[in-house]
Amino acid sequence: MTFQSILDEVQNNLNRILSEMNISDVSFSVEPAKPGFGDVSSNIAFLLAKQLKKSPKDIAELFSEHYNKSVNTLVTKSEAHPSGYLNFFANWEKLSQLILSESNLDTFGFVELGNKSTIVVEHTSVNPNKALHIGHIRNIIIGDTISRILRKADYRVNVLNYIDDSGLQVADILLGFTHLGFSQEPPDGKKFDHYCGDDVYVKTTQKYEEDSSLEEIRKSILKDLEDESSDIAKLADIVTRKVLTNQLKTCWNLSVTYDCLNFESQIIRSGLWSKIFEKLKDMKLVEFENDGKNAGCWVIRGDGKEEDKVIVRSNGVATYVAKDIPYAAWKLGLVEDPFYYEKYTTSQSGAHELWQTTLNPNNSKENFTGQKVITVIDSRQARLQKIVTDLMGKFKSAPDAYVHLGYESVTLSSDTAKTLGLETDGKQAQMSGRKGLYVSADSVYELLRERVIAETTKRRPEIDSSEIETIAHNVSVGTLRYEMIKQDLDKIITFDLTKSLSLEGDTAPYIQYTFARASRILEKSGRTPSIDVDYSLLVEKSELDLVKTIGLFGIHVRDAANNLSPKVVAKYCHDLAVSFNSFYEKNKVLGLDDEKLEDTRLCLVNSFKMTLENALDLLGIDTPSRM
RNA sequence: GCGCCCAUAGCUCAGCAUGGAUAGAGUGUCGGACUUCUAAUCCGAUGGUCAAGGGAUCGAAGCCCUUUGGGCGCGCCA
């Protein structure tokens, strides 16, 4: 509740005043005030201006008078601002006690939004034929952060990663292995996913232009992939799983975890598509085209001006979107589950168990479906995802059951493109796995790590090298993760190898640094912080601002979960850090010759530290106590 | 051609969902603060016809319409 408590109190009192005045149906706002306008503000006077035929200023004054006569516990006074706003001032002694003691609870920041309903978040879903690049990382971090936020908002979250192990891109590297003589062993210890992506995939696709006969081979490989017993399918299984293991290492290293891996090859072999197809026909959601340009195909009718979408070709083969339909229905639990589940061979970090689908009935049955589904895919797929969303809305009779969470892509800055050998004339460049134009996630992490090691060694020569390694890891992961979610999903991220890897300003290290400062104060105090302190001693503006910011945690978690907006939490963490730095600059905590004041401030510092850790955890960012 | 998205300080972005007070950060540039709990920090200065035009409103960066500029998408490819 925390800061929400005072908002509720104001809301209730205003409602009571309204009913005394016989006014109803006014949906006024009660919000944390802007700096310099008290602690809580309401726009109620603006909304009543017309009805009462008075100026907002007069109405605000009227309300202010009434309000100051009502019973208050957390508000000391209300005040009419000439602009028409009604502002309220908090009883900080009580509010500080409320906020700081609640911030010590494990449940702090938890909001009851999902009512323990299950929700599926699917993200990553990268073809297992290459290493992850910085563009994939945006998808992964958005998905992982959303999952963490939803858990904090009382949802049971099932995180899925869809493994497209039977598509064209896999066929391409298989062709490289079987027909172009690429060894299945990567050279000199190169990671297998990098080898497949940098060498086999890029060079194989180059060859298509030189040798058109390869196109036929490619098609036959693609066809063989569907037959489980073929040599190609067996090879594909070995290769894609090896790439997958390497991709997962990259994800785990970034503190990203999953609940279940779903393999496309198994969805195909399970026969789920034909069941869904029958259902689509029964529900008249697909139609057979007798003539016109799509003669002989099954299509989904376009919405308004949109073109019809072919789902099954005239040769009977399903198209790309069609493959997404049975999977989407499976995720929503709308079809009988054809899969069994076994634990994944390598366990991921933490206590989080990772499962994978299998068609082998000697395994257990589990449930990874959800009442709602969020699929994280970049917005270039918006059109196709809209088809799936519409279909699922009709299947489930709930239009918002399936949500496509789209985001803009990551492009390379002109300078960074140049380092990869592409001249763009000052413009940013789209990444391309096929052309080998990308910056790998592993290399970015490594670059960051080296810089943080150098920086930390320079600043803190007394820290031993193993702790430096840990700090460097946490700061590098934090920097990368924060960079991927600090802006809105609809903004393109132009990645630059120099500018995007800064450790100063609005970055994770800035925030992490405040945690280290707070830790140091607590460590030096040699005391155990208590919440049994004199809260009336917190009177400085920078102290109360920090208390207030701490108290706003839950409100931001709710906002982020409601709007599926990770940047809301990123912004909050930054706000917390700014508040703390301001407090730190203006107030000493130790050596005051005033034990009571020291205890009170230690309590505040400890609350800040716990809340920041709590909030950063939602971003998957760790908190070093020294850096 | 049709559809979706973006446009706010030199640069990168908040604020827009739910219209209301003084449009905020970071970065850059210039200047200041480490014998004092960690300077990955802090303080000050600089910097804005909120792309343009129109509309509805007592009131618009925000809502509606048009235009311009940029990005992306529109296959019996995946």
Side-chain angles (χ1 to χ4, degrees), chain A residues 53-65:
Chain A
K53 296 199 171 97
K54 286 181 184 168
S55 72
K57 178 172 174 281
D58 292 344
I59 297 171
E61 279 168 3
L62 186 70
F63 269 83
S64 171
E65 266 174 51

Side-chain angles (χ1 to χ4, degrees), chain A residues 95-216:
Chain A
L95 196 55
S96 295
Q97 174 163 26
L98 193 70
I99 290 172
L100 296 188
S101 52
E102 275 196 45
S103 71
N104 278 257
L105 304 174
D106 289 340
T107 52
F108 191 59
F110 186 84
V111 292
E112 291 178 354
L113 204 64
N115 298 315
K116 305 212 165 17
S117 59
T118 56
I119 191 163
V120 164
V121 177
E122 184 210 320
H123 65 80
T124 308
S125 306
V126 180
N127 286 304
N129 74 322
K130 55 167 154 323
L132 303 175
H133 63 55
I134 192 72
H136 300 129
I137 297 303
R138 186 172 194 186
N139 178 299
I140 294 166
I141 302 306
I142 289 169
D144 186 66
T145 307
I146 286 290
S147 307
R148 289 164 182 263
I149 291 168
L150 290 176
R151 282 194 201 103
K152 195 82 174 170
D154 203 22
Y155 285 93
R156 292 191 174 145
V157 185
N158 287 321
V159 182
L160 308 179
N161 180 359
Y162 178 74
I163 315 299
D164 182 0
D165 57 351
S166 42
L168 204 57
Q169 295 198 16
V170 169
D172 288 334
I173 60 167
L174 293 176
L175 189 148
F177 287 127
T178 55
H179 288 77
L180 300 179
F182 281 100
S183 162
Q184 285 184 44
E185 281 304 315
D188 54 14
K190 189 170 185 176
K191 237 178 129 208
F192 189 69
D193 54 342
H194 287 263
Y195 167 62
C196 286
D198 298 349
D199 301 313
V200 186
Y201 184 48
V202 170
K203 285 168 192 157
T204 299
T205 49
Q206 271 171 7
K207 284 272 197 286
Y208 290 145
E209 287 170 25
E210 302 160 18
D211 184 354
S212 60
S213 70
L214 292 176
E215 196 57 44
E216 283 306 309

Side-chain angles (χ1 to χ4, degrees), chain A residues 138 407-410 487-494:
Chain A
R138 186 172 194 186
Y407 60 92
E408 278 295 338
S409 50
V410 180
Q487 48 207 328
D488 230 325
L489 302 181
D490 57 19
K491 290 286 194 305
I492 294 169
I493 293 180
T494 305

Side-chain angles (χ1 to χ4, degrees), chain A residues 289-299 307-310 314:
Chain A
E289 203 75 285
N290 284 304
D291 42 25
K293 65 171 183 172
N294 294 331
C297 300
W298 288 87
V299 303
E307 298 256 335
D308 295 343
K309 184 68 202 171
V310 172
S314 52

Side-chain angles (χ1 to χ4, degrees), chain A residues 251-277:
Chain A
C251 302
W252 294 338
N253 188 50
L254 299 176
S255 305
V256 175
T257 57
Y258 306 87
D259 294 297
C260 188
L261 308 172
N262 295 48
F263 292 84
E264 183 181 72
S265 58
Q266 293 171 11
I267 293 179
I268 292 171
R269 288 163 203 161
S270 72
L272 212 48
W273 163 247
S274 54
K275 286 182 195 160
I276 286 291
F277 189 36

